[in-house]
Amino acid sequence: MQSWLRGHARLSPSAAHRLVVSGRALEHLPAVADAFANGWVTAEQVAVIAPVTLDEHRAAAAGQGVDLAEVDATLTETAATRPHSDLKQVVHHYLERLDPDGPEPDPTEGRSLSIARHADGSVSGRFELDPVGGERIQAVLESMVQAARRAADTRSRGQQLGDAFVQWADNTLAAGGLPILRTVKPHVIALIPLADLADPQTGHCAAETGFGARVSAARARLLACDGGITRVVIGPESQPLDMGRTHRVVPPHLRRATEVRDRHCVFTGCDAPTYWCDVHHLLHWIDGGETSLENSALLCERHHTKVHHGFRIERQPDGRWRTWRPDGTEIVLNTHLLAA
C-alpha cells in the first residue's frame, strides 16, 4: 500500500507511511474512525492515537483484561474535546501502564538526529530525544538564550534558540576539547580562491566548506576575521602543488589584549562574555587593515555576523563603543532604564 501511495498519489515516503499506519489503527478503533470520518478528529490526532493499536500493545491490553472498546471511547472523547497536548499525555499514560513492572527502556535506543542540506548550503534537521536527554539540551540552550537576552530584542523565540544553538557550537569548537578528527582538531573550513577573498564584493558561492556547502566570499571573510589562514597553490589539473604554513590572523597575545580592553561583546546592548566572542577587524586585513589592538573589537557570533551584514561599530576617543544600523541610525540605549 505504501508503494502504491507513493506511485499513484505521489506522496512522500513518510506521508505514505503515516497514512497506512493511521488506516490500520482505525480498523481497531471504530469510535475514533467514526469521529474521524465526521471531522471531529483530525488525521494528526489519529497519528497520535495509532500506537495504541500496535500488536504488542493490544496483546498487553488483552493480557490485563483491558476493554479496548472503552479505551476507544475514551480516546475519541479526549481527541474531540481536549487540547492536543492532553491527548498525547493520555496516550502516553495508557501505554506506560500497560506494562507497569516492565524493565526501564534504554534511553539511547530512541535517540536520533537527522540533518538535511539544501541547495543554498543551509541545513534543517529533526531530532528525537528521551526526556532526560531533551532536558539537557533545553537546559543548555535556555541558559544561552537567557544570557543573551537584551532589552528590545525583536527576535522570535525560534530565532533566539537558533542563535543559541550556533553560539553553543561556536563555543564548543573554540574550547578545543572535542575529539581529534584525523589528527586535526575539528574546526570550520572554507576553501576560497585568493582573488575572491580579496574582492570586496559579496561573491556568492565563491567558497566551499569542509562539509560541502557553498558560501559567499563575504561569509568566508567573516570566518577569516579570527581564524587561521593556509595558502595552497593549485596546479592546472587541480592538484595541490604547495602548502604554506597555517598562521593565526589574530595571534594569542593580541586576543588577550583585546579581551582585557573590551571585557565583552562591544555591540551596543550586548555583554556576551569574552569566550563567546571573535576578534573582529574594524578594517578587514584583506583590505589593508592592520592586525592590531586599535583595529580589533570583540563581537559574539551573532553580532559579528551583523557587522558583516551592514551594521557598523566604532570606538570613541573616550573608549566607548557606538553601533550604527545599516540605514545609518545609531543604536542608543535608554540610560534612565539602565540606571533603574
Side-chain angles (χ1 to χ4, degrees):
M1 178 53 69
Q2 290 189 46
S3 175
W4 188 93
L5 288 169
R6 292 196 302 268
H8 292 269
R10 296 179 298 281
L11 296 184
S12 67
S14 59
H17 173 73
R18 287 194 302 270
L19 190 58
V20 170
V21 169
S22 295
R24 290 173 177 166
L26 292 176
E27 288 182 336
H28 301 285
L29 301 170
V32 174
D34 183 64
F36 176 65
N38 287 283
W40 302 328
V41 173
T42 67
E44 186 179 17
Q45 290 173 312
V46 173
V48 172
I49 296 171
V52 170
T53 64
L54 294 177
D55 291 344
E56 61 268 28
H57 294 154
R58 287 190 293 111
Q64 295 189 40
V66 175
D67 185 353
L68 193 58
E70 289 293 331
V71 174
D72 184 16
T74 300
L75 292 175
T76 303
E77 181 183 1
T78 303
T81 61
R82 303 292 294 276
H84 188 75
S85 57
D86 286 359
L87 175 64
K88 293 169 65 176
Q89 194 64 40
V90 167
V91 171
H92 175 73
H93 181 89
Y94 169 75
L95 294 177
E96 285 289 296
R97 280 152 182 78
L98 282 179
D99 187 15
D101 299 322
E104 175 72 14
D106 182 350
T108 63
E109 292 182 356
R111 295 176 185 169
S112 67
L113 171 66
S114 59
I115 298 176
R117 180 181 292 112
H118 307 296
D120 63 352
S122 63
V123 297
S124 60
R126 176 183 177 85
F127 60 82
E128 298 288 344
L129 297 175
D130 60 283
V132 175
E135 189 72 12
R136 289 170 176 161
I137 296 295
Q138 291 179 85
V140 173
L141 292 178
E142 190 62 31
S143 70
M144 306 199 81
V145 166
Q146 297 302 323
R149 267 180 55 182
R150 301 292 173 265
D153 190 346
T154 60
R155 292 176 297 163
S156 67
R157 174 68 175 174
Q159 289 173 320
Q160 291 175 346
L161 287 171
D163 285 335
F165 195 34
V166 174
Q167 185 69 64
W168 181 14
D170 200 42
N171 293 356
T172 305
L173 288 169
L178 290 172
I180 300 297
L181 291 175
R182 299 287 185 176
T183 74
V184 178
K185 289 184 178 181
H187 57 284
V188 176
I189 300 171
L191 181 65
I192 181 173
L194 179 60
D196 289 321
L197 184 63
D199 192 331
Q201 301 300 317
T202 301
H204 294 293
C205 297
E208 183 177 0
T209 68
F211 284 97
R214 303 293 302 191
V215 298
S216 67
R219 187 65 176 172
R221 286 191 287 272
L222 186 156
L223 294 171
C225 244
D226 190 10
I229 303 296
T230 304
R231 176 183 57 85
V232 182
V233 179
I234 304 296
E237 297 180 358
S238 299
Q239 76 275 25
L241 299 180
D242 180 55
M243 178 83 71
R245 289 184 59 190
T246 297
H247 68 276
R248 290 288 303 179
V249 173
V250 178
H253 72 275
L254 176 58
R255 178 176 180 90
R256 286 194 294 271
T258 308
E259 289 177 345
V260 169
R261 184 195 66 189
D262 293 343
R263 303 296 180 90
H264 54 73
C265 176
V266 301
F267 198 95
T268 299
C270 183
D271 57 1
T274 56
Y275 51 85
W276 283 29
C277 297
D278 299 326
V279 177
H280 166 71
H281 283 66
L282 300 176
L283 177 62
H284 203 277
W285 57 269
I286 202 70
D287 299 321
E290 294 183 354
T291 300
S292 64
L293 183 61
E294 292 72 23
N295 194 41
S296 300
L298 284 184
L299 289 170
C300 69
E301 193 278 336
R302 176 179 169 231
H303 289 131
H304 194 186
T305 302
K306 292 286 188 186
V307 168
H308 277 262
H309 285 79
F311 285 76
R312 181 170 60 89
I313 58 171
E314 184 178 294
R315 191 168 186 266
Q316 304 304 299
D318 62 1
R320 293 186 303 109
W321 288 91
R322 298 170 66 182
T323 306
W324 285 267
R325 301 180 181 88
D327 63 6
T329 60
E330 184 179 0
I331 299 177
V332 180
L333 297 180
N334 190 320
T335 54
H336 298 294
L337 291 177
L338 289 177

